[in-house]
Amino acid sequence: ETGVTQTPRHLVMGMTNKKSLKCEQHLGHNAMYWYKQSAKKPLELMFVYNFKEQTENNSVPSRFSPECPNSSHLFLHLHTLQPEDSALYLCASSQPGQGALRYGYTFGSGTRLTVV
Amino acid sequence: AQSVTQLDSHVSVSEGTPVLLRCNYSSSYSPSLFWYVQHPNKGLQLLLKYTSAATLVKGINGFEAEFKKSETSFHLTKPSAHMSDAAEYFCVVNQNYGGSQGNLIFGKGTKLSVKP
């Protein structure tokens, strides 16, 4: 285990469903990230949170809604997804600011999402 | 703007032979560079990082990488491949806006196969 825990590991949902992905870290990090990993495409940064505040939204459709109630937890709420949203969703955390440069990010194992 | 190019999408080696995974970067500022490894159905694990200290960086599992500014390269090497090294490897540059944190920019990945 890396210290970043993602649940569930696998999720199958219909296009009309509402579900949430959860990410939790107890590394003392204050920056958290959502990435999308699709087959044959580079990792795509979706959202960045620093000290619970969203600092970046990388033009993500509104059917993805992040929530960061505290520095240890990050959620990704999903609703009315499309089949092309099927992917591995990775959560990461890091020290904020220059700490990310020095130590990099710690990733969770991801949630494999299939939209049917 | 920062970017990273992994020159090979797939590399195949025999067990016990050297590994070379190539990465070139472009950066307007002094970059931080990372290599991450992803085993099947797992998250990304940090292998090693360069953050403007020694240009030859040693990482976990016998991997190392050399930062060559004149060639804008950060190739990953290992003297002798092991079956457990079969995975996908990502070269990453930190999008550093002249001192602020920025975000990680991922290459498209190189899949390493190791033949017995």
Side-chain angles (χ1 to χ4, degrees):
Chain A
E1 289 297 330
T2 64
V4 177
T5 303
Q6 289 187 245
T7 54
R9 293 295 302 274
H10 301 272
L11 178 62
V12 179
M13 61 185 288
M15 289 189 283
T16 58
N17 290 160
K18 287 185 180 181
K19 297 286 183 183
S20 295
L21 310 185
K22 180 182 177 182
C23 176
E24 183 174 357
Q25 60 89 11
H26 295 288
L27 300 170
H29 293 165
N30 286 300
M32 295 188 78
Y33 313 81
W34 280 116
Y35 279 86
K36 177 183 178 182
Q37 187 177 33
S38 306
K40 302 188 191 308
K41 292 174 74 173
L43 262 73
E44 301 172 61
L45 177 65
M46 300 176 72
F47 301 103
V48 180
Y49 278 82
N50 280 282
F51 295 95
K52 303 186 300 178
E53 299 297 321
Q54 187 180 119
T55 53
E56 185 154 345
N57 176 338
N58 199 22
S59 303
V60 181
S62 60
R63 57 186 184 271
F64 295 91
S65 175
E67 179 190 1
C68 189
N70 54 61
S71 292
S72 298
H73 294 86
L74 184 64
F75 296 88
L76 188 62
H77 304 300
L78 316 170
H79 64 97
T80 60
L81 295 192
Q82 305 298 312
E84 60 265 29
D85 296 322
S86 299
L88 181 68
Y89 288 84
L90 290 164
C91 173
S93 70
S94 75
Q95 298 287 355
Q98 293 294 314
L101 288 178
R102 292 187 64 187
Y103 303 110
Y105 295 2
T106 301
F107 282 85
S109 297
T111 295
R112 174 71 62 187
L113 174 67
T114 304
V115 181
V116 298
Chain B
Q2 282 86 343
S3 67
V4 62
T5 303
Q6 291 185 245
L7 296 154
D8 306 293
S9 60
H10 191 194
V11 169
S12 182
V13 301
S14 296
E15 191 175 21
T17 64
V19 175
L20 170 64
L21 305 182
R22 299 182 293 167
C23 173
N24 287 95
Y25 70 91
S26 68
S27 176
S28 303
Y29 298 93
S30 297
S32 294
L33 293 155
F34 308 82
W35 276 99
Y36 281 83
V37 61
Q38 185 178 31
H39 288 91
N41 299 312
K42 300 278 189 179
L44 280 74
Q45 180 185 16
L46 181 64
L47 266 184
L48 50 78
K49 60 183 183 286
Y50 166 77
T51 54
S52 76
T55 56
L56 182 62
V57 181
K58 293 187 185 299
I60 61 172
N61 301 334
F63 284 94
E64 60 183 40
E66 187 171 7
F67 173 72
K68 291 187 176 180
K69 188 174 181 178
S70 60
E71 299 176 10
T72 61
S73 70
F74 190 58
H75 301 332
L76 182 69
T77 59
K78 182 173 181 178
S80 176
H82 192 271
M83 296 297 293
S84 60
D85 295 328
E88 189 152 21
Y89 293 79
F90 294 90
C91 183
V92 183
V93 64
N94 187 291
Q95 190 177 17
N96 183 14
Y97 296 108
S100 66
Q101 174 186 341
N103 296 311
L104 294 187
I105 307 297
F106 283 80
K108 292 185 177 181
T110 298
K111 187 163 288 188
L112 176 66
S113 300
V114 182
K115 298 175 289 188

